[in-house]
Amino acid sequence: MAGSFLGMRNPPLAFRNVVHGGKRSLAAISGAAFSLVMVLLQLGFLQAVKITATNNFEVLDFDVLLTSKRFEQFYGPGFLPLERLRQARNVSAVESAAPLYATFVLWRCPPFPLDHPPDDTAPKPGAFARWLGGARTPRALQRRQLYAMGFDLDQIPFKSPIRDSIEANRAKLRMENRVLLNSRSHPDFGWELRDRYHDWELEDTAVSVVGGFDMLRGFAADSVVLLKADDFVRICGYDSRETTNFGLLKVKPGTIDEAVASLRQALPDDVLVTSRDDALAREVDHWVNQTSTGKLFAIGVLVAMIVAAVVVYQVLSNDVREHMPEYATLRAMGYSTLRLAGILIFQAVLYMLISFVIAVLISLMVYAATESLAGIPMVLTYRNLGLTFGLAMAVGLISGALTVNRLRLADPAELF
């Protein structure tokens, strides 16, 4: 009975309509597949926003975070008196408190090729050419912003593997104006040229790249450098080390909630005290819900599904109109409207199933290209696959159901 309702008895009408639909089927599948690729891309970008929202905090080793009351998100932390960290150490649950200095600064990006770089008047390559060329894309000497983070070499606030990179280069970093450069930086920042280029500058200060570390790039920063606090304060224009941006606290195991409550009582009201989990949740909320970034991708999913529904509905509607005599014949043979509706709905679902498979294959390639070009983590999660599949099936069912009204016009009497 179910097979009859879905149009899968002999003849399998829904299946044959799709297979022998020619240009009509091709239009439905290509239109729906394009829409589903857009959905998967929007979900992929939204997932990338969630990942990159917390990647800065994920590499830091802390249980409780101290920031300015004006703190909004990691790239705009505000300023915090270093004295607050000293006061925090007096709380019994606190085991250690490490400062972290962070701000955007200008970086002197090397040209390519180093021997004969293009001048500033040369046309800039497009996105596709940059993707194909990668680090070997011709480019003039330029200055670009990156995110600099300064820290106390005796209180390294990072987790491994970044901690391991710092430990391996600790002796070099103790020397003046030495930095570590993110190995995942945008190609413009010159990581691949580190052994051949020696004219690095951070702001207006000559520096040396003595090593690298592995860290995901975010939407707000295409590169990150690490340096010791004294160099950071001098190069980045801070008055002294007494003004920092983050206080990273380690507390006794199992005392995070107790420590947060005690710190809020012990510290002045110019400090925001946040647990690690709350800090990560707040960062995700900011990038996904409080900025236009997350909203834009969410709206993109809705628009793409509407386009898919319209495409499939139009194809089914035209199919019914052009085959009205055949449907009238089926009515004369005893097919009920419900049974014919099942054929149409299953035909719409078949369109979406085929489109979904094609869309996933295309999306995997686009994800890889986007990650290579933009350096952001594009991950096709099972959750997003399931959501897209569910949306595809819903669009198929709705489109098929909306087309059923046309079957009422298939009057057997018009055949005679």
Side-chain angles (χ1 to χ4, degrees):
M1 185 67 182
S4 173
F5 174 74
L6 294 176
M8 288 302 289
R9 272 189 172 184
N10 289 327
L13 297 178
F15 181 77
R16 292 193 177 188
N17 284 343
V18 173
V19 173
H20 300 291
K23 293 181 179 179
R24 188 181 301 110
S25 293
L26 182 62
I29 292 170
S30 59
F34 174 79
S35 298
L36 291 177
V37 168
M38 291 300 101
V39 170
L40 287 169
L41 279 179
Q42 301 297 326
L43 291 174
F45 283 126
L46 188 58
Q47 184 69 25
V49 170
K50 294 177 180 178
I51 294 172
T52 56
T54 59
N55 72 297
N56 295 303
F57 281 131
E58 292 288 2
V59 301
L60 296 172
D61 186 17
F62 71 98
D63 299 315
V64 178
L65 179 70
L66 300 185
T67 59
S68 163
K69 276 288 188 180
R70 296 184 179 182
F71 174 84
E72 293 182 356
Q73 44 89 16
F74 191 87
Y75 294 108
F79 298 98
L80 179 74
L82 191 62
E83 178 63 24
R84 300 294 175 260
L85 276 69
R86 300 188 187 101
Q87 294 169 339
R89 293 190 186 101
N90 294 326
V91 174
S92 59
V94 175
E95 293 185 333
S96 66
L100 180 69
Y101 304 81
T103 190
F104 280 102
V105 290
L106 286 176
W107 178 256
R108 193 172 192 258
C109 301
F112 187 86
L114 292 176
D115 299 332
H116 302 287
D119 56 36
D120 293 335
T121 61
K124 295 183 178 180
F128 186 69
R130 291 177 66 85
W131 173 52
L132 291 177
R136 304 185 67 81
T137 302
R139 54 188 181 272
L141 184 72
Q142 58 181 318
R143 290 182 181 271
R144 289 187 57 181
Q145 274 197 336
L146 52 63
Y147 206 58
M149 290 193 280
F151 58 95
D152 190 334
L153 279 170
D154 296 321
Q155 289 182 294
I156 299 176
F158 294 93
K159 295 180 178 178
S160 293
I162 295 180
R163 174 186 287 272
D164 299 334
S165 298
I166 295 171
E167 293 283 4
N169 293 281
R170 185 194 291 266
K172 296 177 182 178
L173 288 172
R174 288 195 184 278
M175 301 171 65
E176 192 172 83
N177 300 339
R178 301 298 193 266
V179 303
L180 299 181
L181 178 64
N182 186 6
S183 60
R184 295 199 192 188
S185 298
H186 188 281
D188 283 358
F189 291 88
W191 168 252
E192 292 79 5
L193 301 173
R194 64 194 181 280
D195 296 328
R196 299 168 51 202
Y197 185 72
H198 306 289
D199 296 326
W200 307 100
E201 286 184 6
L202 192 62
E203 287 293 300
D204 295 322
T205 303
V207 297
S208 297
V209 176
V210 296
F213 60 95
D214 185 74
M215 181 178 174
L216 286 175
R217 280 154 53 189
F219 278 97
D222 282 333
S223 184
V224 176
V225 291
L226 304 180
L227 64 166
K228 69 175 184 286
D230 289 333
D231 285 347
F232 179 97
V233 168
R234 175 169 39 79
I235 294 173
C236 299
Y238 280 42
D239 292 333
S240 71
R241 288 185 58 173
E242 289 300 310
T243 299
T244 186
N245 301 103
F246 298 95
L248 307 174
L249 311 185
K250 294 290 290 181
V251 302
K252 296 176 181 177
T255 65
I256 292 179
D257 292 338
E258 175 190 339
V260 169
S262 299
L263 286 164
R264 287 174 178 170
Q265 289 183 351
L267 299 179
D269 60 4
D270 62 347
V271 178
L272 183 66
V273 181
T274 314
S275 68
R276 182 184 184 87
D277 290 343
D278 288 344
L280 269 62
R282 178 170 178 165
E283 199 75 3
V284 171
D285 177 72
H286 172 82
W287 286 101
V288 175
N289 301 319
Q290 305 301 323
T291 68
S292 58
T293 306
K295 296 176 182 177
L296 180 65
F297 295 139
I299 293 173
V301 172
L302 177 62
V303 171
M305 293 316 301
I306 291 175
V307 170
V310 170
V311 168
V312 174
Y313 171 76
Q314 288 292 340
V315 169
L316 289 176
S317 181
N318 291 337
D319 182 80
V320 171
R321 185 177 64 252
E322 293 183 13
H323 293 87
M324 193 66 74
E326 288 88 340
Y327 282 109
T329 301
L330 291 175
R331 291 283 295 276
M333 293 171 59
Y335 277 65
S336 66
T337 301
L338 182 63
R339 191 173 176 185
L340 293 177
I343 295 173
L344 279 180
I345 292 173
F346 190 67
Q347 184 176 340
V349 170
L350 279 176
Y351 283 141
M352 297 309 297
L353 278 173
I354 298 171
S355 301
F356 175 76
V357 173
I358 295 173
V360 170
L361 295 176
I362 294 175
S363 295
L364 288 172
M365 293 185 289
V366 176
Y367 272 41
T370 303
E371 185 164 356
S372 174
L373 178 63
I376 57 177
M378 296 292 290
V379 181
L380 189 57
T381 64
Y382 289 115
R383 180 179 179 275
N384 287 345
L385 274 175
L387 177 59
T388 305
F389 181 80
L391 289 172
M393 295 302 98
V395 165
L397 291 171
I398 293 171
S399 301
L402 290 175
T403 315
V404 170
N405 286 330
R406 287 190 170 272
L407 290 176
R408 304 181 191 281
L409 302 176
D411 188 357
E414 293 182 359
L415 296 174
F416 305 99

